[in-house]
Amino acid sequence: MKKMIAQREIDVNEEGYLLDFSQWNREVGQELAAEKNITLTDRHWEVIDYLQDKHHKEEALSIRGIKKSGVINVKEFYSLFPGGPLKVSTLIAGIPKPKSCI
Amino acid sequence: MKNLVILGAGTAGTMMANHLSKKLSKNDWQITVVDQHKTHYYQPGFLFLPFDIYTEDQVKKDGTKFVPKSVNYIQKKIELIQPEANSVKLEGGESLGYDILIVATGSTIAPDETEGMDGPMWHKNIFDFYTYEGAKGLRDKLREFEGGKLVVHITEMPIKCPVAPLEFAFLADSYFKNKGMRDKVDITYVTPLDGAFTKPRAAKALDYLLNEKNINEVTSFNIERVDYENNKIIDYADVEVEYDLLVTVPTNMGDSVIERSGLGDDLNFIPTHKGTLQSKEYENMFVIGDATNIPTSKAGSVAHFEAEILTDNILSYIKGDELEEEFDGHANCFVETGNGKALLIDFNYEHEPVEGTFPIPGIGPLRLLKESRFNHMGKLAFRWVYWNMLLKGVPIPFVPAKMNEKGKKLETVNS
């Protein structure tokens, strides 16, 4: 699926996750966040950087990983990205929805 | 004489001992199995024990009987794996050298990972059914349960046999119906996933069944703590679910020896090549069954399929040939749906569980992703197959290690 965002055409799956990370930039992230009624603060960006870094190292993302990340505690993670923080934050970060689910 | 050492005599370790004792020359290779326990449990039976469908004797046997006589069985605790020295340290200080190591130490529950779970109410009104003690205690509890809120809960993924908690909820529904007290029991299924199962296709079929059986569903629930004083579980988003009886699947972790030896990830699972089952760090170390971190289900059927491929790979490794990336993540699970019916799912790394027939394309007799009595009989018959064929490494007719793509309505997993 194609989607126009931040004056850019991006490819997304049916749930809205980016299919190609190279199409992502901070403006795209901001717009995706706005669609979820989230205004990104420095704290959000710290978390997004962490998630993208993990993703590029091919390390799986999980709530347990967040707990041990040293970047943020789980309560704050929930308050920054309400309604399923891993799902919402990865969508904004332009990376796939975690498959902690086997 | 060379040494091949297998750590763990559960489903995977026992199968490997049987396969390899047939393939390796007894003049060249000594096979040793180490396990601290003598009793081998039929773990799929832990699902049936709480409902008085199986008796205690049907789920446990002397495990040493299933290991071939030519294999040396050491019943001791493993202190440390020292891969740099190609050695394993056992309790009492004894060291066991190896040329090839197979780690099959499985996974276990860790209720102490969740605040309040492993507290004073553990095995009082908070139960697991992943251990013999838990399943047996739960049976006694259910026999006298007079009604109220039954909550079936998954703490976090991955867990061994991801369909088991769902089956537990289905079986509880029929158990209380048969006792004529279903109207007194409120059943709720609580999961960290956003549906009933890890794979969307199967989740759809299973969500439908939960609904049909009047089982409430709470999804995306990441537990923060158990409030055992007020009988409720609370998640990070402050959602609360009350219970009178909590049946939980605690965090599943690899064995503590993996942590002591510094070989595992956050959950003590060993980083393993998903196609070859070779350890990512040491080329003479192989990992099988629940002990690996590979992205497929932790289940006996997976260990069974892995065992066939790992046997070939170990023979290739000994010959100095390149290992084949043959393992496709194949899993095959019966899902008990209650009232004497079951459905069957078959999937791998690439393909979602689908509709179709199994094991013979177009004929069956088992049907995939559809409830039937025949599937239920298949599940019950499987106990005999397990003790008499599977553990001993006897091939199961028509069921190859790699998933058969014929006779199925296939759909590729979306990434």
Side-chain angles (χ1 to χ4, degrees):
Chain A
M1 243 186 282
K2 303 261 181 214
K3 174 172 178 164
M4 273 306 284
I5 199 156
Q7 288 95 49
R8 244 170 188 260
E9 191 177 66
I10 58 170
D11 296 297
V12 294
N13 69 15
E14 63 275 19
E15 289 183 302
Y17 289 82
L18 260 73
L19 296 171
D20 178 1
F21 181 73
S22 72
Q23 295 175 341
W24 186 90
N25 60 27
R26 287 174 77 99
E27 286 70 42
V28 170
Q30 242 146 13
E31 293 268 334
L32 289 170
E35 287 181 2
K36 299 273 172 194
N37 298 318
I38 296 172
T39 310
L40 297 179
T41 63
D42 289 351
R43 204 67 187 117
H44 289 93
W45 285 114
E46 267 179 69
V47 176
I48 289 169
D49 286 345
Y50 162 82
L51 296 172
Q52 290 174 341
D53 180 53
K54 279 280 191 189
H55 173 68
H56 294 140
K57 288 184 191 153
E58 295 186 2
E59 290 174 25
L61 294 165
S62 65
I63 290 288
R64 167 173 294 270
I66 296 292
K67 218 186 283 184
K68 293 193 171 176
S69 66
V71 174
I72 189 170
N73 68 40
V74 181
K75 274 277 183 211
E76 192 187 353
F77 189 41
Y78 267 82
S79 69
L80 289 181
F81 301 97
L86 267 183
K87 272 183 280 177
V88 176
S89 60
T90 48
L91 187 137
I92 296 169
I95 59 180
K97 183 169 139 187
K99 287 192 270 184
S100 53
C101 353
I102 293 146
Chain B
M1 193 74 154
K2 291 190 169 178
N3 286 303
L4 183 140
V5 172
I6 301 171
L7 302 180
T11 308
T14 303
M15 285 191 293
M16 286 314 295
N18 279 294
H19 280 301
L20 290 168
S21 74
K22 287 177 212 144
K23 301 275 182 170
L24 295 179
S25 147
K26 295 194 174 41
N27 297 324
D28 299 336
W29 286 90
Q30 171 65 54
I31 303 174
T32 301
V33 174
V34 188
D35 195 299
Q36 58 184 321
H37 302 294
K38 194 179 171 197
T39 304
H40 185 109
Y41 290 104
Y42 175 57
Q43 296 180 62
F46 292 170
L47 174 66
F48 296 109
L49 191 57
F51 301 107
D52 274 316
I53 298 171
Y54 281 172
T55 61
E56 293 155 47
D57 291 341
Q58 284 177 313
V59 300
K60 57 177 185 176
K61 288 188 197 291
D62 176 355
T64 54
K65 283 191 196 154
F66 296 90
V67 173
K69 290 207 168 49
S70 62
V71 171
N72 178 25
Y73 191 105
I74 301 180
Q75 197 192 322
K76 274 191 182 162
K77 191 178 166 208
I78 307 154
E79 287 292 347
L80 210 59
I81 303 166
Q82 299 168 303
E84 305 289 349
N86 294 320
S87 173
V88 176
K89 216 167 108 190
L90 305 180
E91 69 178 331
E94 184 188 339
S95 275
L96 199 60
Y98 62 80
D99 295 282
I100 294 175
L101 184 70
I102 299 174
V103 184
T105 44
S107 72
T108 183
I109 58 163
D112 55 334
E113 288 283 314
T114 307
E115 186 190 327
M117 192 180 278
D118 201 8
M121 295 313 284
W122 181 243
H123 289 180
K124 301 269 194 320
N125 74 345
I126 306 172
F127 286 87
D128 75 287
F129 65 99
Y130 272 47
T131 59
Y132 178 67
E133 295 72 27
K136 204 169 136 224
L138 187 52
R139 178 198 64 189
D140 298 343
K141 182 78 183 175
L142 286 174
R143 279 177 182 171
E144 61 184 40
F145 190 62
E146 286 173 354
K149 296 189 177 80
L150 169 66
V151 171
V152 183
H153 166 249
I154 300 171
T155 302
E156 64 179 303
M157 299 305 285
I159 58 168
K160 184 169 4 202
C161 191
V163 290
L166 204 55
E167 296 179 277
F168 189 94
F170 293 150
L171 289 175
D173 168 68
S174 35
Y175 177 82
F176 291 121
K177 267 186 195 145
N178 292 335
K179 281 183 131 187
M181 56 180 287
R182 180 63 179 90
D183 56 331
K184 292 193 185 121
V185 186
D186 181 43
I187 307 176
T188 304
Y189 184 75
V190 182
T191 169
L193 303 175
D194 48 19
F197 192 58
T198 56
K199 308 274 179 184
R201 267 298 289 273
K204 245 169 113 183
L206 295 167
D207 280 324
Y208 174 78
L209 284 171
L210 283 171
N211 204 2
E212 191 188 70
K213 292 173 197 296
N214 222 345
I215 299 169
N216 314 311
E217 205 180 346
V218 178
T219 56
S220 303
F221 186 96
N222 282 297
I223 190 166
E224 186 192 9
R225 63 192 170 96
V226 179
D227 179 353
Y228 58 81
E229 286 171 335
N230 297 302
N231 293 336
K232 53 191 182 186
I233 49 176
I234 301 165
D235 95 332
Y236 285 106
D238 296 321
V239 177
E240 298 185 350
V241 179
E242 292 181 352
Y243 62 84
D244 294 297
L245 175 57
L246 174 63
V247 176
T248 184
V249 181
T251 301
N252 278 210
M253 295 180 86
D255 196 274
S256 58
V257 69
I258 306 303
E259 187 177 24
R260 285 198 295 280
S261 310
L263 291 171
D265 61 15
D266 273 359
L267 289 166
N268 301 342
F269 295 123
I270 304 174
T272 305
H273 285 289
K274 69 175 194 177
T276 65
L277 305 175
Q278 189 174 40
S279 137
K280 285 195 172 170
E281 256 184 293
Y282 302 97
E283 62 163 23
N284 65 340
M285 182 196 284
F286 297 85
V287 194
I288 182 168
D290 296 351
T292 74
N293 76 336
I294 63 175
T296 185
S297 288
K298 299 195 181 294
S301 66
V302 175
H304 164 74
F305 299 133
E306 286 173 341
E308 293 183 17
I309 282 153
L310 183 55
T311 302
D312 290 344
N313 267 346
I314 285 186
L315 298 177
S316 302
Y317 176 78
I318 290 170
K319 275 192 267 174
D321 293 347
E322 196 158 321
L323 303 185
E324 296 207 29
E325 297 200 14
E326 283 284 311
F327 187 60
D328 64 355
H330 190 187
N332 179 276
C333 313
F334 288 100
V335 184
E336 279 294 304
T337 53
N339 299 318
K341 289 187 185 172
L343 52 81
L344 183 67
I345 53 179
D346 201 46
F347 57 96
N348 65 12
Y349 293 139
E350 300 295 324
H351 296 293
E352 290 242 9
V354 290
E355 290 170 14
T357 47
F358 187 86
I360 307 168
I363 295 173
L366 303 174
R367 303 198 52 193
L368 296 167
L369 215 50
K370 282 265 197 297
E371 269 190 296
S372 81
R373 293 199 180 274
F374 208 92
N375 287 341
H376 168 69
M377 289 162 62
K379 175 131 183 170
L380 294 185
F382 187 72
R383 186 167 59 88
W384 187 91
V385 171
Y386 182 86
W387 291 115
N388 294 286
M389 297 173 77
L390 195 106
L391 280 185
K392 294 174 183 168
V394 177
I396 297 174
F398 309 114
V399 185
K402 291 180 79 169
M403 190 173 112
N404 191 337
E405 299 190 357
K406 293 192 186 114
K408 293 186 177 128
K409 298 180 191 166
L410 286 180
E411 232 173 63
T412 304
V413 178
N414 289 324
S415 57

